[in-house]
Amino acid sequence: MPETPAPLFSPARHRAQRDRMARLPAEANFLAPIIAETLLDRLSMVTRDFSRALLIGAHDAALADHLRAAGTRLTILEAGPRLAAESSAIPGEADAVDLPFASFDLIVWPGGLDSVNDVPGALLRLRALLAPDGLLLGAFVGDGSLQRQRRAVMAEGVRPIARLHPQIDLAAMGNLLQRTGFTMPVVDVEALTVRYGDWFALVRDLRAAGLASRLSPAPPPLTREEAARIAAAFAAQADPDGRVAEQFRLIHFSGWTPHPDQPRPARRGSGTASLAEALKPKR
């Protein structure tokens, strides 16, 4: 029997991170309201009502409050056991959720898809939870993010150990949605630049946003000398005013579960207009 590959991410560390986020002031996580606002804007452009919704993550109340105010019957899934208890959420991981099929019209996932162990499996599970013509809407920090930090952790004198998560890019996300059976997939990126006075301020933001390392096994802690070298390498990338511009690339995605009434692309070869004729210069 082939051996099951070791998980890339630790669910136990994920649960601990989520519960630690719950103990911080709400304003400490600057990314949560940005993602929530964007998802709500996109949801407002959908011209239909959703009566049953699943929200993955209980940390930011804005999405939950909005969905409830719209009359949606809301279920929340939360990995952190303490946070789940405080918010009356179902405790669990998105790639292991076990709920009845076709239970929801809408699933909103504001961050975290990029750090589950089985991304295709998580998407397949969520597709099964959606009724026909149901919508999956989400966002996560994707490929191209935190480039200056990535360069800094490779500074001379720092042990060459994997400390940062691999990232999912735009094309891969689109392919994943198609492979897992979602129709009309839409994937795009929003670049957000944040300027930091030092590396330690960036680390505080990453922890507050639940973006600290969940790698398994956990890499050994940085020594004081290594932390100092990383901080110096980060500072060396500063602008003339002494601040470092770091970028978060937020990948937004959406997809629908199949339904007979959805629009479909035309069958190949069914067109009646000639491209060659259309490209001819007009007289």
Side-chain angles (χ1 to χ4, degrees):
M1 292 289 291
E3 292 186 7
T4 303
L8 179 60
F9 302 110
S10 164
R13 296 185 74 190
H14 183 208
R15 292 191 292 269
Q17 285 180 12
R18 296 291 301 178
D19 280 344
R20 184 171 64 236
M21 288 169 63
R23 297 192 293 270
L24 296 173
E27 62 271 15
N29 183 358
F30 79 95
L31 276 178
I34 294 172
I35 291 175
E37 181 180 4
T38 304
L39 293 180
L40 290 175
D41 283 346
R42 293 173 184 231
L43 192 57
S44 69
M45 293 185 284
V46 180
T47 57
R48 60 161 289 186
D49 295 325
F50 298 100
S51 60
R52 305 166 299 164
L54 174 67
L55 174 62
I56 302 177
H59 179 259
D60 183 21
L63 284 166
D65 291 346
H66 176 90
L67 291 168
R68 289 193 180 106
T72 304
R73 188 166 70 251
L74 182 64
T75 301
I76 302 176
L77 179 72
E78 171 54 54
R82 175 178 173 179
L83 184 52
E86 292 175 354
S87 56
S88 301
I90 298 171
E93 298 280 351
D95 57 350
V97 58
D98 186 14
L99 293 170
F101 289 177
S103 297
F104 305 102
D105 309 305
L106 170 68
I107 297 178
V108 181
W109 195 351
L113 177 143
D114 55 308
S115 54
V116 298
N117 280 305
D118 184 4
V119 176
L123 291 173
L124 284 170
R125 283 176 178 269
L126 298 185
R127 189 176 79 100
L129 294 183
L130 284 167
D133 204 30
L135 173 63
L136 171 65
L137 180 68
F140 59 89
V141 177
D143 183 51
S145 300
L146 304 171
Q147 289 296 323
R148 286 172 171 77
Q149 173 172 251
R150 288 179 178 273
R151 285 195 286 268
V153 298
M154 294 188 291
E156 184 178 352
V158 179
R159 286 167 292 177
I161 298 170
R163 296 183 181 276
L164 302 180
H165 292 186
Q167 297 175 335
I168 301 174
D169 67 21
L170 206 65
M173 188 60 211
N175 290 334
L176 281 167
L177 288 170
Q178 291 181 323
R179 283 172 47 202
T180 51
F182 286 93
T183 63
M184 299 182 289
V186 176
V187 183
D188 59 76
V189 63
E190 174 188 4
L192 177 66
T193 300
V194 184
R195 305 181 76 244
Y196 288 98
D198 57 57
W199 177 64
F200 300 101
L202 170 61
V203 171
R204 287 193 295 272
D205 270 359
L206 295 178
R207 287 175 174 168
L211 296 175
S213 175
R214 300 174 191 166
L215 295 177
S216 178
L222 292 167
T223 65
R224 288 187 178 181
E225 181 180 354
E226 285 177 319
R229 287 179 179 273
I230 292 173
F234 187 77
Q237 303 173 74
D239 295 328
D241 65 356
R243 302 185 73 83
V244 180
E246 187 59 282
Q247 190 171 86
F248 295 80
R249 288 173 57 83
L250 304 179
I251 293 182
H252 299 274
F253 63 92
S254 65
W256 296 81
T257 46
H259 188 275
D261 293 337
Q262 288 174 348
R264 298 182 182 183
R267 180 176 52 85
R268 177 171 291 186
S270 62
T272 58
S274 165
L275 179 60
E277 289 294 329
L279 294 178
K280 283 183 178 179
K282 294 187 178 8
R283 294 182 181 179

